[in-house]
């Protein structure tokens, strides 16, 4: 029994990997146990209600546009950019089905005009000590595209993919602008996976320490680089699919692993490609519901 008046009971049922959650609704201890979702509070408020019909229909339209026009167009336009950045033909990467294969990686970022100052700060912090040639910025408006290119970064913009993303900065965590940018962040990784590269995704407010003398991509590469600290694991780097930083939050929304989507590395294989495709399927209506 915990301080939250919860307990765990192991009971016989059909074979399942899911944990069923029951709760006594209200403040009376004799109230019957009811099966509830993980977002249900004792006061009857559900933190994770399903998306309403309007959000679902919006997501359907978004999916049709993405898979019919946006994704095919982005793959064709990004193919020469990715090949120039990695020095590897994407056709050879896509033919390699070995899930433990060493693949070139690209650092992906997403920015709109409201985050352009963060993007500028990222470049200025890196200075001339860090190689930015493997950084690709997905810009959600043309103004940001020009800024990123002016900073010397590889940059890409597609109005079919990002036409609905507002150019101004989000006012608060979880508002509609914030959510639309989150959708763009999922799209950026998903598109790059379709070209066969691994992806290190980072938010624009993440900066590198130029005094480390270690490129971020070397931290996730088998064997690493000459300057990798001894405590950083690289020998077993083929044993993960995704590495995320700890968000720090310990509420139900981030449970159970507390992963943060602001800095993570994805190794492209069948499992992670399906994971991000499933994000595309469901992320639109779920994100906008938040």
């Amino acid at each position: 029994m915990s301080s939250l008046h919860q307990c765990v009971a192991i009971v016989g049922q059909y074979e399942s990997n899911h944990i069923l959650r029951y709760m006594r609704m209200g403040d009376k201890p004799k109230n019957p146990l009811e099966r509830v979702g993980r977002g249900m509070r004792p006061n009857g408020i559900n933190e994770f209600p399903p998306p309403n019909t309007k959000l679902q229909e919006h997501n359907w339209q978004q999916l049709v546009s993405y898979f019919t026009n946006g994704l095919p167009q982005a793959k064709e336009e990004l193919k020469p950019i990715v090949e120039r950045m990695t020095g590897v033909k994407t056709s050879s990467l896509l033919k390699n089905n070995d899930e433990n294969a060493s693949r070139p990686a690209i650092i992906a970022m997403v920015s709109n005009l409201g985050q352009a100052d963060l993007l500028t700060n990222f470049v200025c912090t890196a200075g001339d000590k860090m190689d930015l040639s493997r950084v690709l910025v997905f810009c959600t408006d043309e103004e940001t595209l020009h800024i990123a290119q002016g900073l010397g970064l590889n940059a890409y913009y597609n109005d079919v993919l990002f036409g609905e993303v507002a150019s101004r900065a989000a006012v608060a965590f979880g508002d509609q602008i914030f959510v639309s940018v989150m959708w763009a962040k999922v799209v950026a990784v998903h598109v790059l996976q379709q070209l066969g590269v691994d992806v290190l995704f980072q938010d624009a407010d993440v900066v590198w320490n130029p005094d480390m003398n270690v490129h971020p991509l070397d931290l996730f590469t088998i064997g690493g680089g000459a300057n990798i600290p001894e405590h950083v694991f690289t020998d077993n780097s083929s044993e993960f699919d995704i590495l995320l930083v700890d968000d720090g939050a310990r509420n139900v929304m981030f449970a159970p692993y507390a992963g943060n989507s602001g800095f993570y590395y994805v190794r492209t294989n069948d499992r992670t490609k399906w994971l991000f495709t499933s994000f595309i399927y469901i992320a639109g209506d779920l994100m906008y519901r938040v």
Side-chain angles (χ1 to χ4, degrees):
M1 185 72 71
S2 72
S3 60
L4 297 177
H5 304 294
Q6 296 175 341
C7 63
V8 176
I10 301 177
V11 297
Q13 62 162 357
Y14 64 90
E15 184 177 351
S16 172
N17 293 320
H18 295 279
I19 296 177
L20 304 182
R21 185 168 182 255
Y22 294 83
M23 178 181 291
R24 299 185 192 277
M25 306 302 293
D27 55 1
K28 295 182 179 180
K30 292 186 177 181
N31 286 346
L33 288 169
E34 300 180 31
R35 183 175 173 181
V36 297
R38 69 187 185 97
M40 181 62 72
R41 298 179 182 176
N43 60 6
I45 296 177
N46 184 4
E47 293 187 10
F48 303 129
N52 59 35
T53 301
K54 182 179 179 181
L55 291 177
Q56 293 181 45
E57 291 177 348
H58 174 271
N59 191 44
W60 298 341
Q61 297 171 2
Q62 190 168 247
L63 288 175
V64 170
S65 175
Y66 177 71
F67 284 109
T68 304
N69 300 310
L71 179 58
Q73 180 181 344
K75 287 170 61 177
E76 287 301 312
E77 293 174 345
L78 282 168
K79 180 179 177 180
I81 298 176
V82 168
E83 291 180 345
R84 172 174 51 80
M85 292 175 64
T86 63
V88 180
K89 290 289 185 181
T90 56
S91 57
S92 65
L93 295 174
L94 295 174
K95 290 179 182 178
N96 189 345
N97 294 320
D98 182 2
E99 65 179 30
N100 293 317
S102 178
R103 296 176 179 274
I106 283 181
I107 299 168
M109 302 173 67
V110 170
S111 178
N112 65 359
L113 185 60
Q115 298 174 337
D117 55 342
L118 296 175
L119 186 63
T120 302
N121 182 62
F122 164 77
V123 174
C124 292
T125 302
D128 57 1
K129 293 184 179 180
M130 302 295 286
D131 179 14
L132 301 180
S133 64
R134 298 287 283 276
V135 175
L136 175 59
V137 182
F138 287 78
C139 306
T140 63
D141 49 69
E142 291 190 79
E143 293 86 354
T144 308
L145 175 67
H146 298 318
I147 292 173
Q149 290 174 335
L151 292 169
L153 297 171
N154 299 293
Y156 176 72
Y157 168 70
N158 184 307
D159 60 349
V160 178
L161 293 180
F162 307 128
E164 294 188 7
V165 180
S167 60
R168 62 186 184 278
V171 176
F173 176 85
D175 68 14
Q176 291 302 297
I177 299 176
F178 180 94
V179 169
S180 66
V181 175
M182 286 298 298
W183 159 259
K185 293 177 181 180
V186 175
V187 166
V189 176
H190 185 254
V191 171
L192 289 175
Q193 285 184 314
Q194 309 314 304
L195 296 173
V197 295
D198 289 352
V199 183
L200 172 58
F201 182 87
Q202 70 162 70
D203 281 345
D205 60 355
V206 175
V207 297
W208 303 346
N209 181 356
D211 295 327
M212 283 183 60
N213 295 319
V214 176
H215 195 279
L217 286 179
D218 290 339
L219 298 174
F220 305 94
T221 304
I222 298 176
N227 296 318
I228 298 295
E230 292 183 0
H231 66 277
V232 176
F233 61 93
T234 54
D235 292 340
N236 298 323
S237 59
S238 64
E239 297 181 1
F240 71 87
D241 289 323
I242 302 177
L243 282 178
L244 302 98
V245 297
D246 191 322
D247 184 88
R250 291 298 181 268
N251 56 44
V252 66
M253 180 177 290
F254 291 86
Y257 301 116
N260 185 289
S261 61
F263 190 84
Y264 63 94
Y265 189 96
V266 182
R267 299 185 69 245
T268 291
N269 54 42
D270 288 342
R271 290 186 296 274
T272 59
K273 289 174 73 173
W274 168 243
L275 176 65
F276 275 83
T277 297
S278 67
F279 287 164
I280 293 292
Y281 289 157
I282 67 174
D285 46 14
L286 288 178
M287 285 182 180
Y288 282 97
R289 178 194 54 75
V290 173

